[in-house]
Amino acid sequence: MRIGLLGTGRIGSFHAGVLARHPAVEALVVADPDPARAAAVADRTGARAVATATEVFDAGVDAVVITSATSAHAELIGRAARAGLPAFCEKPVALDLAGTLGALRAAERAHSVLQLGFMRRFDAGYAAARAAVRGGALGRLHTVRAVTSDPAPPPAAYLPLSGGLFRDCLVHDFDMVRWVTGREVARVYATGSDAGPAMFRAAGDVDTAAALLTLDDGTLVTATATRCNGAGYDVRMELAGERDQIAVGLDDRTPLTSAEPRSPGTPARPWPGFLERFGPAYEAELDAFVRLVRGEAANPCDGREALHALRVAEACEVSRRERRPVELTEIPSA
């Protein structure tokens, strides 16, 4: 199989290494607006670097992996659909609903394959939590607590391009809430704080956010995120039911110190970032894409799944801005 990779930034470089090692991938063609960056990735992985996305599409590839800047995702999804090529795209499809819906319609009209990169679906802890909830091990689920905390803010130039904390970070938690519980979000109430670095205020974003979600069966979910968690990269989910409760992401690398006298103390090697924490999940999702293209597996996360999570993020932005609860029915879905 020949794969084209569009974008060789941090996540694109990581994906290039994974694809180059995959036994079913015979050739990898990479492109980036920064030719030197693409060349460096090609040298490291044995891929072939070309100058433009057009050259990737013209290289006779069997599928494309889109890891470009978010602003280019929707256009590249459309190009892949028109070319009849299966596409894997890192989230999000686009930064707004209109762009997302347009790209999804293009893929659906062409009957083309589109897998979205929500890597937590391939994490062992989240998969175990899903099995426990769906299998009834917790009893009736009543409370979910989700946390995503970055160890340090991104570069200031990234913020206006990110879509904001709800769309960029918490969208993963919104996807996990749906995937783990099997329920839909019915209502949100969200707020945020820009009391940290001034660059967040300049971008109209927040550095810390919290959302209360009510699911369609009455389960209550709190989802929090921050860009300023100096202890390390902290991603967890706690699920409490009438029979039992479990936690995802709680191990000897969780950047959390207990104040109790008999606690194990501060972790010696807290998670430094998302690639370290979710490295195996990223590899598993690309393996799933290769198997999907080969006709060996179903699509584990199609574009409509990404739309559901984005609609929750959009509702949270409306709630934060207007300081009111927002029903998901207020957010367009088609």
Side-chain angles (χ1 to χ4, degrees):
M1 180 185 298
R2 294 169 59 84
I3 300 261
L5 184 131
L6 301 160
T8 56
R10 186 178 182 190
I11 190 63
S13 176
F14 182 88
H15 284 343
V18 172
L19 291 167
R21 295 191 299 270
H22 198 288
V25 178
E26 300 166 1
L28 182 64
V29 183
V30 302
D32 190 276
D34 181 346
R37 190 163 68 175
V41 168
D43 287 344
R44 179 175 58 82
T45 62
R48 176 163 71 95
V50 296
T52 66
T54 297
E55 291 181 64
V56 171
F57 283 105
D58 291 343
V61 296
D62 301 300
V64 294
V65 171
I66 300 169
T67 53
S68 62
T70 296
S71 58
H73 286 187
E75 177 194 356
L76 292 172
I77 289 170
R79 290 185 67 174
R82 292 189 295 274
L85 291 175
F88 172 94
C89 183
E90 275 299 330
K91 67 84 186 167
V93 173
L95 288 179
D96 58 16
L97 278 172
T100 298
L101 290 168
L104 295 185
R105 282 194 290 267
E108 289 167 0
R109 280 196 301 267
H111 303 289
S112 64
V113 170
L114 173 61
Q115 180 183 329
L116 263 293
F118 281 98
M119 76 292 186
R120 295 187 195 180
R121 291 182 177 223
F122 299 89
D123 177 74
Y126 282 105
R130 185 178 196 261
V133 171
R134 303 293 187 96
L138 307 187
R140 182 186 69 86
L141 191 67
H142 53 74
T143 306
V144 179
R145 292 176 286 271
V147 175
T148 291
S149 299
D150 286 339
Y158 173 76
L159 293 179
L161 309 175
S162 71
L165 194 57
F166 290 105
R167 298 185 190 95
D168 187 46
C169 280
L170 277 167
V171 71
H172 281 290
D173 297 279
F174 301 151
D175 181 63
M176 280 300 92
V177 166
R178 295 184 61 253
W179 189 74
V180 169
T181 68
R183 311 303 308 193
E184 296 296 340
V185 177
R187 184 182 309 107
V188 310
Y189 190 73
T191 188
S193 169
D194 61 3
M199 65 182 182
F200 289 96
R201 293 185 290 280
D205 196 5
V206 294
D207 59 76
T208 303
L212 173 62
L213 317 178
T214 303
L215 304 189
D216 57 10
D217 65 347
T219 300
L220 296 181
V221 180
T222 59
T224 64
T226 185
R227 301 280 199 186
C228 304
N229 195 59
Y233 182 71
D234 188 10
V235 171
R236 283 176 286 126
M237 176 179 273
E238 299 171 5
L239 302 109
E242 291 182 335
R243 186 178 303 162
D244 201 358
Q245 62 178 342
I246 57 175
V248 178
L250 190 60
D251 59 22
D252 61 359
R253 299 195 68 180
T254 304
L256 183 68
T257 301
S258 173
E260 297 299 327
R262 294 188 181 90
S263 74
T266 302
R269 292 192 312 125
W271 293 111
F274 64 92
L275 286 179
E276 294 82 4
R277 167 67 176 84
F278 289 109
Y282 279 116
E283 296 204 27
E285 73 175 356
L286 283 181
D287 178 67
F289 178 63
V290 170
R291 290 188 289 113
L292 171 63
V293 174
R294 289 163 61 93
E296 299 170 354
N299 194 336
C301 187
D302 65 23
R304 289 286 161 180
E305 292 293 293
L307 175 62
H308 290 307
L310 177 62
R311 290 180 66 240
V312 179
E314 290 285 335
C316 287
E317 279 292 356
V318 173
S319 178
R320 177 180 76 89
R321 186 171 62 249
E322 300 183 4
R323 300 183 180 184
R324 66 175 180 88
V326 175
E327 303 288 329
L328 260 291
T329 53
E330 298 180 44
I331 308 301
S333 60

